[in-house]
């Protein structure tokens, strides 16, 4: 069977598109793994670099943020003051959806936190074994050739799921109402 130069060129273009898609998926996986490493290392200052300037987040009790600056002030600065434990994290089961040549992608991940230190009246108590399982739903965008988080939604789902947003609001005194809307990927 003889292959024409047009057929060969079409195959080459198809293979290049598939290879680019696979490279993009690996780059997105690397982005999310590096983000989790910063979380585990408590490098709150470095975490913001993984987000686009106009990123929208909805992360558990922190509520909705719009833009990197609000994310820093409302989430990362708060975490820097509060979180001192040395917990471990495992990120797994990525499902990345991206079309060849696209500059946007969608991903879902499973996250596990292995808790070792609990806040008590007298400080911290070290107990090994408890865990949490969470889910990330993220929209990614290529900016200047680099993948970043465009939108991020995160909730704990096991062993006890995070409450619904209206229940979270009721538990947080003086909190602004949370509005999920445009900018947060719904699946």
């Amino acid at each position: 069977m003889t292959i024409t130069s047009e057929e060969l060129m079409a195959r080459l273009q198809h293979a290049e598109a598939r290879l680019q898609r696979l490279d993009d998926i690996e780059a997105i996986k690397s982005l999310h793994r590096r983000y989790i490493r910063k979380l585990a290392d408590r490098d709150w200052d470095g975490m913001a670099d993984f987000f686009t300037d106009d990123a929208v987040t909805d992360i558990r009790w922190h509520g909705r943020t719009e833009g990197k600056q609000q994310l820093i002030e409302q989430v990362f600065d708060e975490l820097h003051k509060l979180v001192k434990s040395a917990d471990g994290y495992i990120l797994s089961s990525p499902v990345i959806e991206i079309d060849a040549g696209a500059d946007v992608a969608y991903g879902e991940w499973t996250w596990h936190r292995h808790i070792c230190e609990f806040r008590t009246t007298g400080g911290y108590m070290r107990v090994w074994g408890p865990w949490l399982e969470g889910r990330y739903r993220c929209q990614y965008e290529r900016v200047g050739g680099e993948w970043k988080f465009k939108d991020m939604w995160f909730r704990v789902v096991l062993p006890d799921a995070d409450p619904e947003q209206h229940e979270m609001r009721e538990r947080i005194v003086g909190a602004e109402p949370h509005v999920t809307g445009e900018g947060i990927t719904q699946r």
Side-chain angles (χ1 to χ4, degrees), residues 128-160:
W128 292 95
W131 58 274
L132 299 171
E133 181 174 309
R135 296 285 188 280
Y136 280 99
R137 295 180 186 158
C138 300
Q139 187 78 30
Y140 306 95
E141 182 177 63
R142 188 189 331 256
V143 177
E146 183 180 355
W147 285 100
K148 294 187 177 253
F149 293 108
K150 174 73 172 176
D151 297 334
M152 177 186 283
W153 176 94
F154 176 79
R155 293 291 185 278
V156 167
V157 296
L158 291 172
D160 296 316

Side-chain angles (χ1 to χ4, degrees), residues 25 66 71 75 79 87 124 152 159 166-167:
I25 289 172
E66 295 183 20
L71 173 64
V75 179
L79 290 172
D87 303 335
Y124 285 96
M152 177 186 283
H166 70 281
E167 294 172 306

